[in-house]
Amino acid sequence: MIKYLLTLLIIVTSNQLFSQDNDSNLNIAYNKLQEGKTLEAISIFENHIAKNPNDTRIYLQLAYEYLKINNKEKAIKYFEYVQKNSKNTDEIQAAKKQLEYISLNSESGKKHFIDLYSYSVYDTYQENFISNLILRYNNHIIDRLYGGIYSDIYTDTRTSKDYIYNDRYVEVGGFLRYNILRNLSIELRAGYVREIDFNKNSFNFKPILSFSDRFGTKNLRVNFFTDVYSAALYDHKFENFFGQLSLREVVSFKVNKSSNFETYVRQSVLGDSKKFDYNNYLELGGGVAYTFNSIYLPAIFVEATNKFYFQGNRENSFQFKAGLLFNFYKFVW
């Protein structure tokens, strides 16, 4: 019994000394970083993870340090390790965002790219097919500043002068966009617009402040995340201010290497300064979607929602929607 207790005491004491030694080495490494001795700090961190392969916090630190010295290969390797092995949601999200940023800027010789957003849906309550398409040709001017040409089309099959479901228009022009943060940008569009239902042509300018991001966890088979999108803008063609906030809470199941099945609930609120009834409502609901791990294929979705209108005499409505959502981003040269 005494022999067993002595052995246990030795093990506990050794673990404590090992832990203290690790903490001491890490403190030295962080001090090296403060002194600007990045390579020396990296060497200490590397020794630490060789003995502590489960310490994803230090893997994440190393990834950032390798990024600083422009060793993208090592940085990507360690960010991917954290994303795959960490149990900490904040660490996973940090690694994921950095990998997305590296991917976005990986084609260093290419400064021109196309991005496209397309939303097409059939609304059973309105008996209406609604479609929005935004296409931009981007040129990277300087750090965080982009400019180019755009086209923006919004239409449906039911709106008329007598009863408006949506503001229908076709617009083309030029834009400048500055990325304040990775997920926060301000954009100014200016161009020619055709208002379909009012048979009107005019010049338009539209400043837009927008934020979008995804928060959640990533596992081998099931992912839980929340999509956030918000925007505030002034649209001169309507002489109207608009605001929007959308949330979507998702459970995503991996079907195979190329596709996923999602179930979700969503909340959206829209408003405008002129208080048109069709622009001021809260929409709550949920649905299912089938998504593909390819920029060339759209998400297919079916959902049911309730709309609650804030203005006018328009009745609240319940509707089913089925449609396609397409986001495309591609460097061209």
Side-chain angles (χ1 to χ4, degrees):
M1 183 67 179
I2 295 175
K3 183 178 180 181
Y4 171 78
L5 291 174
L6 286 172
T7 303
L8 183 61
L9 179 61
I10 291 170
I11 292 172
V12 171
T13 304
S14 298
N15 286 339
Q16 288 176 340
L17 291 173
F18 181 70
S19 176
Q20 291 172 0
D21 184 58
N22 278 340
D23 290 342
S24 176
N25 286 334
L26 290 177
N27 287 335
I28 292 172
Y30 287 119
N31 288 333
K32 294 290 185 184
L33 289 180
Q34 292 179 352
E35 295 169 4
K37 300 176 180 178
T38 303
L39 293 179
E40 292 182 30
I42 285 176
S43 179
I44 298 171
F45 285 136
E46 286 284 6
N47 288 332
H48 175 83
I49 63 171
K51 300 173 184 177
N52 303 273
N54 294 324
D55 195 347
T56 52
R57 174 179 59 101
I58 302 304
Y59 272 92
L60 186 62
Q61 183 70 54
L62 269 169
Y64 282 119
E65 300 313 319
Y66 278 121
L67 202 57
K68 286 180 185 177
I69 63 173
N70 206 31
N71 189 338
K72 289 186 179 180
E73 184 177 348
K74 269 290 186 69
I76 291 171
K77 177 183 176 182
Y78 285 168
F79 281 132
E80 288 177 342
Y81 185 91
V82 173
Q83 190 177 30
K84 182 179 179 181
N85 296 284
S86 178
K87 306 299 182 185
N88 184 294
T89 302
D90 292 337
E91 290 178 2
I92 294 170
Q93 282 299 114
K96 181 181 177 181
K97 289 178 180 180
Q98 287 299 321
L99 286 169
E100 290 175 352
Y101 180 81
I102 293 171
S103 175
L104 185 65
N105 293 277
S106 61
E107 305 197 34
S108 57
K110 296 183 178 181
K111 294 188 176 182
H112 302 264
F113 60 92
I114 292 173
D115 70 277
L116 180 148
Y117 168 85
S118 175
Y119 175 81
S120 301
V121 65
Y122 181 77
D123 185 313
T124 58
Y125 182 82
Q126 296 182 7
E127 296 181 348
N128 196 2
F129 184 81
I130 304 161
S131 184
N132 181 211
L133 173 69
I134 302 173
L135 176 65
R136 292 183 296 194
Y137 188 91
N138 300 258
N139 174 44
H140 186 192
I141 301 171
I142 57 174
D143 185 38
R144 299 189 182 186
L145 181 64
Y146 298 81
I149 58 175
Y150 75 93
S151 63
D152 183 1
I153 302 170
Y154 203 109
T155 187
D156 67 33
T157 56
R158 286 291 305 278
T159 291
S160 66
K161 293 180 181 179
D162 298 324
Y163 197 88
I164 295 176
Y165 290 98
N166 299 280
D167 290 313
R168 303 195 299 180
Y169 59 86
V170 177
E171 186 173 331
V172 294
F175 74 91
L176 284 173
R177 183 180 72 257
Y178 182 74
N179 293 340
I180 303 169
L181 300 171
R182 182 191 62 83
N183 45 21
L184 177 67
S185 66
I186 185 166
E187 180 176 341
L188 176 62
R189 299 179 190 171
Y192 165 88
V193 62
R194 171 72 175 181
E195 295 180 54
I196 297 172
D197 296 301
F198 300 100
N199 196 28
K200 179 182 176 182
N201 301 327
S202 63
F203 171 79
N204 187 45
F205 65 90
K206 183 190 299 184
I208 307 167
L209 179 66
S210 63
F211 172 88
S212 63
D213 207 348
R214 171 170 289 185
F215 307 92
T217 61
K218 183 174 182 179
N219 299 297
L220 292 177
R221 300 295 303 178
V222 183
N223 296 324
F224 303 88
F225 57 85
T226 298
D227 287 329
V228 181
Y229 176 78
S230 62
L233 62 92
Y234 174 75
D235 198 321
H236 180 67
K237 64 177 173 288
F238 302 124
E239 297 182 346
N240 203 354
F241 289 91
F242 295 84
Q244 176 183 355
L245 172 64
S246 297
L247 301 173
R248 197 173 70 108
E249 297 84 22
V250 184
V251 182
S252 177
F253 303 91
K254 187 174 182 179
V255 177
N256 50 48
K257 290 183 178 180
S258 60
S259 61
N260 304 281
F261 178 78
E262 298 178 352
T263 62
Y264 62 88
V265 294
R266 74 176 186 86
Q267 310 85 42
S268 297
V269 59
L270 290 86
D272 73 344
S273 59
K274 290 193 172 181
K275 299 182 179 180
F276 292 125
D277 53 7
Y278 54 87
N279 282 334
N280 290 267
Y281 62 85
L282 170 69
E283 187 169 16
L284 305 174
V288 296
Y290 196 88
T291 65
F292 300 92
N293 299 324
S294 170
I295 62 173
Y296 301 105
L297 296 173
I300 304 167
F301 67 90
V302 178
E303 63 183 32
T305 67
N306 269 292
K307 279 186 178 180
F308 304 92
Y309 290 94
F310 304 141
Q311 303 292 335
N313 298 316
R314 191 163 300 213
E315 294 183 357
N316 299 335
S317 65
F318 173 81
Q319 50 274 313
F320 288 100
K321 298 179 183 180
L324 303 175
L325 178 63
F326 190 56
N327 274 301
F328 177 85
Y329 182 101
K330 184 68 175 176
F331 279 99
V332 288
W333 59 278

